[in-house]
Amino acid sequence: MPAVLQQRLLFGPLMVALLVAGLALDEWVNDWPLPDGLAGLLGHETAPPGVVIFLAVVPLSWLAAIELAAILRANGIQASARVSAAAALVGLVVSCLVPSEADAVASVATVSSAAVIVLVGSLLFFSRHQSFEGVVAAAGGTLLAFVYLGLMFGFLLALRREHSVWTILWVLMTTKSCDIGAYFVGRAVGRHKLIRWLSPGKTWEGLVGGVALSAAVGTLGAWALASVGIAGGPGLVIGAAAGVAFGLLGQVGDLLASLLKRDAGMKDSGHTLPGFGGILDVLDSPLLVMPAAYWILRFAPAADLAIPPG
């Protein structure tokens, strides 16, 4: 058995266990009462949903931004790990600090103001040595971190505001199941390269196998959510369709990350996770899926075909 596969089989279940434990802790903490002063400030008598998720996402976003800065520097862009990480955190924080009761105009203005601050701040930072060379590209890299690892990651917290942690687990497991299916089916019967110049290891057979598995996991997950009475979950048909969408979008997210890495002459974004590469190598597929998951769950029909609880 290849060493990489052994590492994936060892660390993969460990990461899933940590994910489940973290989500369960978030659900538990959600019932904790808050001190009067803090409750008045946050507008919640108990801890708001997503506290534990936010505390877990912050270091992940920070580390992924450092990896992204390294990729940009390898591309000849004057990127700063500190500035990229700060921009990612600004995007993440502004995603979760906009009050739920804020109107649409105020919400858009808040996020837009944060983007302006990041842009102007990065332009000032990279021109601090009274040189204009590479400043525009560096500022663009900072905005990439703001959107990619801040706003897009923030959709995870937006999902938590409106859904159970187990619905989030369904989204993540459905997404990553496509990676698993694509890996094993591609190794077993993969013959036709998907995009040879960008990701020579991916095959059309692997993609079909991965999407089929994500559709199956999406359907089974939708049934499981309905069977235990989780409100706001998808029906079976929506679960299957979402599984296909999550699988395809996850693969696109993986290819977009490959585009950044290949342009920099890198195979992996880092070596933090044995068998998987860097933090960004694990997050690339869920990051693109999260916005789609939010809107699918918001506008999809109610669980009309789901098996009712009991």
Side-chain angles (χ1 to χ4, degrees):
M1 182 182 296
V4 172
L5 181 57
Q6 289 181 338
Q7 292 173 334
R8 290 190 176 189
L9 292 176
L10 175 63
F11 286 95
L14 177 60
M15 288 191 290
V16 172
L18 290 174
L19 171 64
V20 173
L23 292 174
L25 182 60
D26 188 88
E27 185 80 5
W28 181 53
V29 168
N30 191 35
D31 295 327
W32 285 9
L34 294 175
D36 293 339
L38 188 57
L41 178 64
L42 297 178
H44 290 271
E45 294 184 359
T46 59
V51 170
V52 174
I53 292 176
F54 176 76
L55 294 176
V57 163
V58 165
L60 291 176
S61 179
W62 182 278
L63 292 172
I66 292 174
E67 293 178 354
L68 178 61
I71 293 172
L72 294 175
R73 285 196 300 271
N75 273 300
I77 297 174
Q78 186 189 166
S80 165
R82 291 175 298 169
V83 173
S84 296
L89 292 187
V90 169
L92 186 63
V93 169
V94 76
S95 298
C96 65
L97 288 187
V98 176
S100 300
E101 61 274 10
D103 59 42
V105 174
S107 300
V108 171
T110 301
V111 176
S112 299
S113 298
V116 170
I117 292 171
V118 169
L119 175 60
V120 174
S122 62
L123 288 171
L124 292 174
F125 177 83
F126 290 111
S127 62
R128 68 192 186 281
H129 297 306
Q130 301 181 17
S131 173
F132 54 79
E133 293 183 3
V135 171
V136 174
T142 304
L143 282 177
L144 175 62
F146 171 76
V147 174
Y148 188 35
L149 300 172
L151 296 184
M152 288 174 64
F153 222 160
F155 272 94
L156 176 61
L157 299 169
L159 276 170
R160 180 63 183 106
R161 282 186 175 189
E162 301 181 9
H163 297 280
S164 163
V165 295
W166 308 119
T167 302
I168 293 176
L169 180 63
W170 167 75
V171 172
L172 293 173
M173 296 301 292
T174 301
T175 301
K176 297 307 289 186
S177 66
C178 186
D179 293 344
I180 296 171
Y183 179 81
F184 285 103
V185 173
R187 285 180 59 88
V189 298
R191 297 293 182 272
H192 301 87
K193 299 299 182 182
L194 183 61
I195 305 179
R196 187 182 301 272
W197 61 270
L198 179 58
S199 186
K202 293 185 181 298
T203 63
W204 283 103
E205 293 85 354
L207 177 63
V208 171
V211 171
L213 182 58
S214 63
V217 173
T219 305
L220 290 173
W223 171 83
L225 290 173
S227 66
V228 297
I230 300 296
L236 295 182
V237 173
I238 297 300
V244 173
F246 295 168
L248 290 173
L249 284 172
Q251 293 305 297
V252 172
D254 184 84
L255 290 170
L256 290 177
S258 294
L259 189 64
L260 296 173
K261 291 181 291 186
R262 296 292 181 183
D263 193 28
M266 301 168 64
K267 182 179 182 298
D268 296 320
S269 64
H271 306 284
T272 306
L273 303 172
F276 293 90
I279 301 295
L280 196 55
D281 293 310
V282 175
L283 296 179
D284 51 14
S285 51
L287 281 173
L288 194 61
V289 167
M290 285 300 163
Y294 176 83
W295 292 112
I296 287 174
L297 289 172
R298 189 174 183 85
F299 292 112
D304 53 327
L305 296 180
I307 298 175

